[in-house]
Structure formats: C-alpha cells, structure tokens
Amino acid sequence: MFEPVIAPSGTLLGLLQRGRGDGTLHALTAPRSEALAALDQCVLHDPRHDWQVENRSLYYARLYLDLNGELDTIEAHLFDVEDTLDTEESRTGLALAVLGHLASYGRRDALELLRRYAASGTNWAWALDELALRDDDAGLRALAAPVLARFPADPEGDAELAVAVRDAFEPRPWRLWADDPRPSIATRVRAAHETGCFDRWQRQMNPTGPRPGWSVQAVFDWAQQGLERGAALHVPAARCLSAVAGPEDRPQILAAARDGGDGARCTALRYLADTGAPDVLDLVEAAVVTGSPVVVEAALDAFERMRGVAAVDRARGWARRPDALGAAAGRVLACRGGAQDKDLVLAALREAVRGEGPDAPTLWTLVDGTGRLGIACAAPVLRHIYRETASSHLRGRTARALAATDPSFPAGFAVECLWDCEENTRELAARHAETGDTRVVERLRRLAADPAEEDEVQTAVRSRIGPDATMG
C-alpha cells in the first residue's frame, strides 16, 4: 500500500509534519527515541506544501532543544553522497535552517556543521546565508578560500562567481571577503561584485516588453507570445492596455474577450474586469463555458478581483452552480458578501471540504470569509480543517476564523496554538488563550524571554502578562 507523504493527523509524525502545537506537546510526553525519530523524519524529508512560505525551522529547532536532540542524523543527511546527486535546495534547506536556529540558541555543534557544509556541501549558499546571520567575522573569513575555490579562475568561473555575489541573500560574507587582507581573495570578490552591478545596470538599460506607442494589437500579440513561451503575461498586458487603449479601441477589446486567441482573450478579460466594464460579467460566464483552461482560469481570477455591487449580485446567482464559476462566486461572497450570504458561503465551505478535502486551495478564501461573516454554525467544519490540513498557513487562517466563531476556541485550540510553527498563529493564541491553564502562563513567559521569537508575538504576549495586563 502506498504510504502517504503526510502521516495521519492523529499520529505524532503527522502532528509534527503539520507543525501543530500538539506535535510539540505530544513529543515531550512520548518516549524520547520515538520523538527524535519523528523529528528527524520531518527535518530530513520536508513535509511542507510550499517550503518558501510555510515555517517549520524554528518549530523543529525548539523541539531539538527541548529533547536535547543529537544532530548525527542531520549530519549524515547533509554529507551523504546523495548531496552531490540531488542539488535541489529543498533536499537540505530545512535542515540547514534548523541548524541556523540552533546555532543562534548557542548550539556549537550546529554552528560547526553549518561551517563544514558551507565549505563542501552542494547547497553551500544556503548554509552561508545562515552563517551570515550567526557566525563571527573570523568564522566567515575562514570560509572565503573554500567557497571561492568552487569557482575556477577562468572567464566561466568568474561569471558564475559574479552571479553568486549578485544573488546572495545575505551580503555580509562577501563584504568581509572584499576587504580580506589576502589579495587573491579580495581582488576576485571585488571584481565579481563590479561585474554583477554592471550586469544589473545592463538589464535595466535594455528592458524587454511593451513600449510607449504600442497599439492594442501589439499588446495582444505580446501576451500571446508570452503564452507560447510558457509565461502568462496577461496581467501586465492588461495594465499596458490601460495606458494605450482609447474609446475607439473598445470594440476590438470586446471582440478579443469574446473569441480572441488565448493571450488576447485573457488580457481583454482582465482589462475589462479591472475597469469595471458593465458587460464583462457576461463575457466571464461565456469564457468559463467556451474557453481553454488558461482562459477559464484568467476569467475566474478577473471576476474575483471585481469590487463592484454588480459582481456581488451576480455571484449570488452563480454561487449554486456546480462548476468552477460557482466556486469562484462562493469566494467572492466570502470576501465581499453581507450577512444575507452566510448560507451560501457555508454551503461553499462544506462543498469544498467534501469534494476536495482539507487542503483545497479554495478554502483559504472561504475560511477567511467564514470568520469575517461570523458564521457560528461553521465551527465543526473549521475544526475539521484545522485538524486535518497539511498547510500551516491554512491552519492559521482557520484558527483566526475559529476565534471569531467558536466560543470554545480560547480554552481549546488556542492553547496548542501557542506552540504552533507559524508566528501569526502564535500571536493569535497569545491574545486569546485562556490563562487558567498553567501551561498557557508558562508558555507565555517562555515566549516573552525567547530572543528568537517574533516581535509581534512578544507584543501580544506582553499584553497578557505585562504589569497592566489582566490574566484570565
């Protein structure tokens, strides 16, 4: 039987993969070896839906500290032969970020691992960025020679070095190396920096894309060319239309929105929706029925951006449709509907969970709308999403909706949210969790004293435990 990537939500591994506060709480009461094995599994096999926006590294680092966990497994993962075969950042990025947090907490073994990996590992640039925030000048200077040795002293190597310097997320090491007393180091880094600056200047001086004076047809052609290259350009193309189109071009734009090529049709629909054209809603409906998948997606996106009363009224009529337009109408009502639309939004929420599961992209908007409209009878569905979703961002939004709809939230999920992986969720919990639970008071005090905690969370904590705060 196929083993799912994300374990069931009722297991320790599933809780830790999701970054739930209950994951930490369960790990601290489980056998230490079992907890560390699950923690290592999460760090070595990144469980996030989107590793670029979801947080896990601080969450996992704190648990390593609480469990006094060794780093042998992370070390073996970083320096495995697979590191030279799989060069994707996602293979080692989470482990390196966890080491970075551990180093900031004073774990010397984590700092040494980062230094070794920066000198010899494939994802060295990530490790160097972590060290740039935590290491001292002497530690960074010692890495200059091994890092520069990665780039051959020839034109191709110098070009690659210039790109590395230009694209570095944290510039501190490169600035140190530019002033290195060793001429062989400083000269190469300064030259690479100058080359990168020149390349950036050249790109700015030679932009591609629309120019003043372009015609409407030229903008449509540009959007179509982008689509053929695999680049969706209809959004910037629609902005260009706003600059070049006049009243005399309206028939051409309407014709493109009805039956133009995909690039032109997407562009025209977006432009008409952004300008609030009265006939665009009929064109959106037609595009959903007759358009290609690319056109359907652009039409739905254009509709959901509309802010006028007409769009909300039309959404009420479309919300019961069993298609993509009906789902989009539900999201429009979630964002801009009124109290009279609660039943339609709740129906859309239930249908999304029933049909697509607790990780459906449409849930982000519907959950927000449920909280905005205060739909109290949605609490059971929201609790299900909270427990089951693998997205820590969606869970955080669901927690916010529960805070607005579920009277049991302060004594329930809000307590575990104090240990959540997302800072926004911890901030919400710090403002709502009932302090009658001794774990809450202890956790608030720990967050207040943790230098790695986000400022917004600590501000919320101080509002609960400061000298003028009332605990209860």
Side-chain angles (χ1 to χ4, degrees), residues 351-388:
E351 180 58 31
V353 173
R354 184 165 48 243
E356 301 180 61
D359 291 311
T362 190
L363 288 176
W364 292 52
T365 303
L366 294 175
V367 162
D368 286 349
T370 301
R372 182 182 72 85
L373 294 171
I375 307 176
C377 56
V381 183
L382 293 173
R383 293 189 205 110
H384 172 76
I385 296 170
Y386 178 96
R387 293 187 187 98
E388 299 299 327

mmCIF file of all heavy atoms in Angstrom, residues 351-388:
data_model
loop_
_atom_site.group_PDB
_atom_site.id
_atom_site.type_symbol
_atom_site.label_atom_id
_atom_site.label_comp_id
_atom_site.label_asym_id
_atom_site.label_seq_id
_atom_site.Cartn_x
_atom_site.Cartn_y
_atom_site.Cartn_z
ATOM 1 N N GLU A 351 -18.992 22.186 0.742
ATOM 2 C CA GLU A 351 -18.802 21.501 -0.534
ATOM 3 C C GLU A 351 -17.331 21.369 -0.884
ATOM 4 O O GLU A 351 -16.889 20.337 -1.408
ATOM 5 C CB GLU A 351 -19.536 22.263 -1.647
ATOM 6 C CG GLU A 351 -19.406 21.638 -3.031
ATOM 7 C CD GLU A 351 -19.914 20.214 -3.095
ATOM 8 O OE1 GLU A 351 -20.851 19.870 -2.346
ATOM 9 O OE2 GLU A 351 -19.358 19.426 -3.894
ATOM 10 N N ALA A 352 -16.550 22.390 -0.596
ATOM 11 C CA ALA A 352 -15.117 22.339 -0.884
ATOM 12 C C ALA A 352 -14.434 21.251 -0.060
ATOM 13 O O ALA A 352 -13.608 20.486 -0.565
ATOM 14 C CB ALA A 352 -14.474 23.697 -0.615
ATOM 15 N N VAL A 353 -14.765 21.171 1.218
ATOM 16 C CA VAL A 353 -14.160 20.142 2.074
ATOM 17 C C VAL A 353 -14.607 18.757 1.631
ATOM 18 O O VAL A 353 -13.801 17.814 1.548
ATOM 19 C CB VAL A 353 -14.528 20.389 3.548
ATOM 20 C CG1 VAL A 353 -14.049 19.232 4.418
ATOM 21 C CG2 VAL A 353 -13.926 21.695 4.036
ATOM 22 N N ARG A 354 -15.898 18.625 1.318
ATOM 23 C CA ARG A 354 -16.434 17.336 0.915
ATOM 24 C C ARG A 354 -15.857 16.889 -0.430
ATOM 25 O O ARG A 354 -15.512 15.726 -0.620
ATOM 26 C CB ARG A 354 -17.955 17.422 0.849
ATOM 27 C CG ARG A 354 -18.652 16.110 0.522
ATOM 28 C CD ARG A 354 -20.141 16.172 0.822
ATOM 29 N NE ARG A 354 -20.756 17.374 0.269
ATOM 30 C CZ ARG A 354 -21.327 18.312 1.022
ATOM 31 N NH1 ARG A 354 -21.326 18.213 2.329
ATOM 32 N NH2 ARG A 354 -21.884 19.374 0.454
ATOM 33 N N GLY A 355 -15.720 17.829 -1.355
ATOM 34 C CA GLY A 355 -15.294 17.457 -2.700
ATOM 35 C C GLY A 355 -13.794 17.445 -2.917
ATOM 36 O O GLY A 355 -13.282 16.638 -3.700
ATOM 37 N N GLU A 356 -13.064 18.332 -2.229
ATOM 38 C CA GLU A 356 -11.628 18.466 -2.493
ATOM 39 C C GLU A 356 -10.749 18.199 -1.287
ATOM 40 O O GLU A 356 -9.519 18.148 -1.418
ATOM 41 C CB GLU A 356 -11.332 19.878 -3.025
ATOM 42 C CG GLU A 356 -12.073 20.230 -4.313
ATOM 43 C CD GLU A 356 -11.737 21.644 -4.769
ATOM 44 O OE1 GLU A 356 -10.561 21.933 -5.047
ATOM 45 O OE2 GLU A 356 -12.677 22.473 -4.814
ATOM 46 N N GLY A 357 -11.343 18.054 -0.111
ATOM 47 C CA GLY A 357 -10.548 17.741 1.063
ATOM 48 C C GLY A 357 -10.072 18.966 1.813
ATOM 49 O O GLY A 357 -10.299 20.110 1.394
ATOM 50 N N PRO A 358 -9.358 18.752 2.928
ATOM 51 C CA PRO A 358 -8.989 19.865 3.822
ATOM 52 C C PRO A 358 -7.811 20.699 3.344
ATOM 53 O O PRO A 358 -7.399 21.615 4.056
ATOM 54 C CB PRO A 358 -8.640 19.134 5.124
ATOM 55 C CG PRO A 358 -8.122 17.809 4.670
ATOM 56 C CD PRO A 358 -8.950 17.443 3.474
ATOM 57 N N ASP A 359 -7.264 20.393 2.173
ATOM 58 C CA ASP A 359 -6.158 21.193 1.646
ATOM 59 C C ASP A 359 -6.530 21.903 0.349
ATOM 60 O O ASP A 359 -5.655 22.396 -0.363
ATOM 61 C CB ASP A 359 -4.923 20.307 1.411
ATOM 62 C CG ASP A 359 -4.317 19.825 2.714
ATOM 63 O OD1 ASP A 359 -4.106 20.665 3.602
ATOM 64 O OD2 ASP A 359 -4.076 18.613 2.848
ATOM 65 N N ALA A 360 -7.812 21.957 0.038
ATOM 66 C CA ALA A 360 -8.254 22.599 -1.198
ATOM 67 C C ALA A 360 -7.855 24.073 -1.218
ATOM 68 O O ALA A 360 -8.092 24.790 -0.237
ATOM 69 C CB ALA A 360 -9.771 22.472 -1.337
ATOM 70 N N PRO A 361 -7.248 24.558 -2.308
ATOM 71 C CA PRO A 361 -6.832 25.970 -2.365
ATOM 72 C C PRO A 361 -7.984 26.950 -2.129
ATOM 73 O O PRO A 361 -7.776 28.024 -1.563
ATOM 74 C CB PRO A 361 -6.264 26.109 -3.786
ATOM 75 C CG PRO A 361 -5.827 24.724 -4.155
ATOM 76 C CD PRO A 361 -6.825 23.804 -3.505
ATOM 77 N N THR A 362 -9.198 26.573 -2.542
ATOM 78 C CA THR A 362 -10.328 27.484 -2.379
ATOM 79 C C THR A 362 -10.657 27.743 -0.916
ATOM 80 O O THR A 362 -11.293 28.745 -0.573
ATOM 81 C CB THR A 362 -11.569 26.905 -3.096
ATOM 82 O OG1 THR A 362 -12.607 27.875 -3.139
ATOM 83 C CG2 THR A 362 -12.091 25.647 -2.396
ATOM 84 N N LEU A 363 -10.205 26.858 -0.018
ATOM 85 C CA LEU A 363 -10.546 27.005 1.393
ATOM 86 C C LEU A 363 -9.932 28.244 2.027
ATOM 87 O O LEU A 363 -10.473 28.781 2.997
ATOM 88 C CB LEU A 363 -10.116 25.764 2.175
ATOM 89 C CG LEU A 363 -10.944 24.503 1.934
ATOM 90 C CD1 LEU A 363 -10.349 23.320 2.684
ATOM 91 C CD2 LEU A 363 -12.393 24.724 2.367
ATOM 92 N N TRP A 364 -8.793 28.698 1.523
ATOM 93 C CA TRP A 364 -8.149 29.866 2.118
ATOM 94 C C TRP A 364 -9.124 31.046 2.166
ATOM 95 O O TRP A 364 -9.305 31.688 3.200
ATOM 96 C CB TRP A 364 -6.897 30.248 1.325
ATOM 97 C CG TRP A 364 -5.791 29.261 1.413
ATOM 98 C CD1 TRP A 364 -5.860 27.915 1.180
ATOM 99 C CD2 TRP A 364 -4.442 29.522 1.780
ATOM 100 N NE1 TRP A 364 -4.635 27.339 1.358
ATOM 101 C CE2 TRP A 364 -3.748 28.297 1.726
ATOM 102 C CE3 TRP A 364 -3.754 30.673 2.124
ATOM 103 C CZ2 TRP A 364 -2.392 28.194 2.017
ATOM 104 C CZ3 TRP A 364 -2.397 30.579 2.417
ATOM 105 C CH2 TRP A 364 -1.729 29.347 2.364
ATOM 106 N N THR A 365 -9.757 31.317 1.028
ATOM 107 C CA THR A 365 -10.686 32.442 0.950
ATOM 108 C C THR A 365 -11.972 32.155 1.711
ATOM 109 O O THR A 365 -12.500 33.025 2.422
ATOM 110 C CB THR A 365 -11.006 32.756 -0.517
ATOM 111 O OG1 THR A 365 -9.791 33.016 -1.226
ATOM 112 C CG2 THR A 365 -11.924 33.952 -0.640
ATOM 113 N N LEU A 366 -12.482 30.938 1.585
ATOM 114 C CA LEU A 366 -13.743 30.596 2.245
ATOM 115 C C LEU A 366 -13.601 30.614 3.764
ATOM 116 O O LEU A 366 -14.510 31.052 4.480
ATOM 117 C CB LEU A 366 -14.212 29.222 1.767
ATOM 118 C CG LEU A 366 -14.610 29.129 0.288
ATOM 119 C CD1 LEU A 366 -14.927 27.695 -0.087
ATOM 120 C CD2 LEU A 366 -15.801 30.038 -0.011
ATOM 121 N N VAL A 367 -12.485 30.141 4.274
ATOM 122 C CA VAL A 367 -12.254 30.169 5.722
ATOM 123 C C VAL A 367 -12.193 31.606 6.218
ATOM 124 O O VAL A 367 -12.795 31.959 7.240
ATOM 125 C CB VAL A 367 -10.963 29.400 6.067
ATOM 126 C CG1 VAL A 367 -10.460 29.761 7.458
ATOM 127 C CG2 VAL A 367 -11.198 27.896 5.953
ATOM 128 N N ASP A 368 -11.462 32.449 5.495
ATOM 129 C CA ASP A 368 -11.405 33.866 5.884
ATOM 130 C C ASP A 368 -12.794 34.478 5.908
ATOM 131 O O ASP A 368 -13.154 35.231 6.824
ATOM 132 C CB ASP A 368 -10.520 34.648 4.906
ATOM 133 C CG ASP A 368 -9.041 34.366 5.101
ATOM 134 O OD1 ASP A 368 -8.680 33.733 6.108
ATOM 135 O OD2 ASP A 368 -8.250 34.793 4.235
ATOM 136 N N GLY A 369 -13.584 34.166 4.877
ATOM 137 C CA GLY A 369 -14.929 34.727 4.800
ATOM 138 C C GLY A 369 -15.835 34.230 5.909
ATOM 139 O O GLY A 369 -16.681 34.976 6.424
ATOM 140 N N THR A 370 -15.655 32.965 6.280
ATOM 141 C CA THR A 370 -16.454 32.411 7.374
ATOM 142 C C THR A 370 -16.192 33.174 8.671
ATOM 143 O O THR A 370 -17.114 33.480 9.434
ATOM 144 C CB THR A 370 -16.122 30.920 7.554
ATOM 145 O OG1 THR A 370 -16.400 30.219 6.328
ATOM 146 C CG2 THR A 370 -16.938 30.318 8.676
ATOM 147 N N GLY A 371 -14.927 33.478 8.919
ATOM 148 C CA GLY A 371 -14.606 34.273 10.099
ATOM 149 C C GLY A 371 -15.111 35.698 9.980
ATOM 150 O O GLY A 371 -15.643 36.264 10.947
ATOM 151 N N ARG A 372 -14.965 36.286 8.797
ATOM 152 C CA ARG A 372 -15.402 37.678 8.599
ATOM 153 C C ARG A 372 -16.892 37.821 8.833
ATOM 154 O O ARG A 372 -17.352 38.805 9.434
ATOM 155 C CB ARG A 372 -15.050 38.121 7.174
ATOM 156 C CG ARG A 372 -15.405 39.561 6.852
ATOM 157 C CD ARG A 372 -15.059 39.910 5.412
ATOM 158 N NE ARG A 372 -15.960 39.283 4.454
ATOM 159 C CZ ARG A 372 -17.129 39.789 4.079
ATOM 160 N NH1 ARG A 372 -17.575 40.923 4.622
ATOM 161 N NH2 ARG A 372 -17.871 39.168 3.193
ATOM 162 N N LEU A 373 -17.665 36.846 8.364
ATOM 163 C CA LEU A 373 -19.120 36.909 8.491
ATOM 164 C C LEU A 373 -19.610 36.344 9.819
ATOM 165 O O LEU A 373 -20.802 36.407 10.112
ATOM 166 C CB LEU A 373 -19.773 36.147 7.327
ATOM 167 C CG LEU A 373 -19.549 36.753 5.935
ATOM 168 C CD1 LEU A 373 -20.037 35.801 4.854
ATOM 169 C CD2 LEU A 373 -20.251 38.095 5.816
ATOM 170 N N GLY A 374 -18.695 35.771 10.628
ATOM 171 C CA GLY A 374 -19.078 35.250 11.928
ATOM 172 C C GLY A 374 -20.088 34.110 11.852
ATOM 173 O O GLY A 374 -21.079 34.099 12.584
ATOM 174 N N ILE A 375 -19.840 33.142 10.969
ATOM 175 C CA ILE A 375 -20.783 32.033 10.766
ATOM 176 C C ILE A 375 -20.553 30.988 11.855
ATOM 177 O O ILE A 375 -19.731 30.077 11.718
ATOM 178 C CB ILE A 375 -20.614 31.422 9.367
ATOM 179 C CG1 ILE A 375 -20.692 32.519 8.296
ATOM 180 C CG2 ILE A 375 -21.674 30.354 9.111
ATOM 181 C CD1 ILE A 375 -20.442 32.039 6.874
ATOM 182 N N ALA A 376 -21.264 31.111 12.952
ATOM 183 C CA ALA A 376 -21.007 30.272 14.124
ATOM 184 C C ALA A 376 -21.225 28.793 13.840
ATOM 185 O O ALA A 376 -20.484 27.942 14.339
ATOM 186 C CB ALA A 376 -21.897 30.728 15.283
ATOM 187 N N CYS A 377 -22.228 28.452 13.032
ATOM 188 C CA CYS A 377 -22.519 27.040 12.785
ATOM 189 C C CYS A 377 -21.480 26.386 11.875
ATOM 190 O O CYS A 377 -21.539 25.179 11.627
ATOM 191 C CB CYS A 377 -23.916 26.863 12.198
ATOM 192 S SG CYS A 377 -24.220 27.805 10.691
ATOM 193 N N ALA A 378 -20.491 27.168 11.408
ATOM 194 C CA ALA A 378 -19.404 26.604 10.607
ATOM 195 C C ALA A 378 -18.296 26.026 11.475
ATOM 196 O O ALA A 378 -17.367 25.396 10.961
ATOM 197 C CB ALA A 378 -18.811 27.675 9.681
ATOM 198 N N ALA A 379 -18.367 26.219 12.792
ATOM 199 C CA ALA A 379 -17.270 25.798 13.673
ATOM 200 C C ALA A 379 -16.893 24.331 13.522
ATOM 201 O O ALA A 379 -15.707 24.003 13.488
ATOM 202 C CB ALA A 379 -17.622 26.127 15.124
ATOM 203 N N PRO A 380 -17.852 23.389 13.421
ATOM 204 C CA PRO A 380 -17.437 21.981 13.249
ATOM 205 C C PRO A 380 -16.609 21.752 11.998
ATOM 206 O O PRO A 380 -15.634 20.979 12.021
ATOM 207 C CB PRO A 380 -18.771 21.233 13.191
ATOM 208 C CG PRO A 380 -19.731 22.103 13.941
ATOM 209 C CD PRO A 380 -19.308 23.507 13.609
ATOM 210 N N VAL A 381 -16.966 22.400 10.893
ATOM 211 C CA VAL A 381 -16.189 22.245 9.652
ATOM 212 C C VAL A 381 -14.810 22.878 9.826
ATOM 213 O O VAL A 381 -13.797 22.314 9.400
ATOM 214 C CB VAL A 381 -16.923 22.890 8.460
ATOM 215 C CG1 VAL A 381 -16.149 22.648 7.169
ATOM 216 C CG2 VAL A 381 -18.330 22.354 8.346
ATOM 217 N N LEU A 382 -14.760 24.027 10.469
ATOM 218 C CA LEU A 382 -13.475 24.697 10.691
ATOM 219 C C LEU A 382 -12.563 23.849 11.576
ATOM 220 O O LEU A 382 -11.352 23.758 11.332
ATOM 221 C CB LEU A 382 -13.700 26.068 11.330
ATOM 222 C CG LEU A 382 -14.404 27.115 10.461
ATOM 223 C CD1 LEU A 382 -14.719 28.361 11.283
ATOM 224 C CD2 LEU A 382 -13.556 27.475 9.240
ATOM 225 N N ARG A 383 -13.137 23.210 12.597
ATOM 226 C CA ARG A 383 -12.318 22.353 13.454
ATOM 227 C C ARG A 383 -11.736 21.188 12.656
ATOM 228 O O ARG A 383 -10.583 20.796 12.865
ATOM 229 C CB ARG A 383 -13.150 21.821 14.627
ATOM 230 C CG ARG A 383 -13.585 22.894 15.613
ATOM 231 C CD ARG A 383 -14.205 22.254 16.863
ATOM 232 N NE ARG A 383 -15.120 23.192 17.505
ATOM 233 C CZ ARG A 383 -16.439 23.060 17.533
ATOM 234 N NH1 ARG A 383 -17.011 22.007 16.962
ATOM 235 N NH2 ARG A 383 -17.197 23.962 18.134
ATOM 236 N N HIS A 384 -12.531 20.638 11.739
ATOM 237 C CA HIS A 384 -12.037 19.548 10.897
ATOM 238 C C HIS A 384 -10.876 20.023 10.024
ATOM 239 O O HIS A 384 -9.857 19.337 9.912
ATOM 240 C CB HIS A 384 -13.178 19.027 10.020
ATOM 241 C CG HIS A 384 -12.742 18.027 8.984
ATOM 242 N ND1 HIS A 384 -12.435 16.720 9.296
ATOM 243 C CD2 HIS A 384 -12.534 18.167 7.643
ATOM 244 C CE1 HIS A 384 -12.073 16.083 8.191
ATOM 245 N NE2 HIS A 384 -12.120 16.943 7.179
ATOM 246 N N ILE A 385 -11.023 21.187 9.417
ATOM 247 C CA ILE A 385 -9.940 21.724 8.579
ATOM 248 C C ILE A 385 -8.701 21.954 9.418
ATOM 249 O O ILE A 385 -7.581 21.601 9.023
ATOM 250 C CB ILE A 385 -10.395 23.037 7.903
ATOM 251 C CG1 ILE A 385 -11.561 22.781 6.953
ATOM 252 C CG2 ILE A 385 -9.232 23.676 7.139
ATOM 253 C CD1 ILE A 385 -12.220 24.052 6.446
ATOM 254 N N TYR A 386 -8.887 22.533 10.599
ATOM 255 C CA TYR A 386 -7.756 22.806 11.484
ATOM 256 C C TYR A 386 -6.978 21.530 11.773
ATOM 257 O O TYR A 386 -5.750 21.503 11.717
ATOM 258 C CB TYR A 386 -8.268 23.432 12.791
ATOM 259 C CG TYR A 386 -7.173 23.716 13.788
ATOM 260 C CD1 TYR A 386 -6.603 24.971 13.883
ATOM 261 C CD2 TYR A 386 -6.693 22.707 14.629
ATOM 262 C CE1 TYR A 386 -5.582 25.231 14.786
ATOM 263 C CE2 TYR A 386 -5.674 22.951 15.536
ATOM 264 C CZ TYR A 386 -5.121 24.211 15.608
ATOM 265 O OH TYR A 386 -4.103 24.452 16.494
ATOM 266 N N ARG A 387 -7.679 20.458 12.102
ATOM 267 C CA ARG A 387 -7.007 19.212 12.470
ATOM 268 C C ARG A 387 -6.319 18.546 11.280
ATOM 269 O O ARG A 387 -5.233 17.977 11.422
ATOM 270 C CB ARG A 387 -8.011 18.225 13.065
ATOM 271 C CG ARG A 387 -8.600 18.621 14.402
ATOM 272 C CD ARG A 387 -9.436 17.479 14.961
ATOM 273 N NE ARG A 387 -10.147 17.882 16.172
ATOM 274 C CZ ARG A 387 -11.425 18.263 16.184
ATOM 275 N NH1 ARG A 387 -12.114 18.292 15.051
ATOM 276 N NH2 ARG A 387 -12.002 18.620 17.311
ATOM 277 N N GLU A 388 -6.941 18.600 10.123
ATOM 278 C CA GLU A 388 -6.503 17.740 9.020
ATOM 279 C C GLU A 388 -5.595 18.409 7.995
ATOM 280 O O GLU A 388 -4.809 17.727 7.333
ATOM 281 C CB GLU A 388 -7.732 17.169 8.290
ATOM 282 C CG GLU A 388 -8.620 16.307 9.171
ATOM 283 C CD GLU A 388 -7.886 15.090 9.721
ATOM 284 O OE1 GLU A 388 -7.010 14.557 9.012
ATOM 285 O OE2 GLU A 388 -8.179 14.684 10.862
#
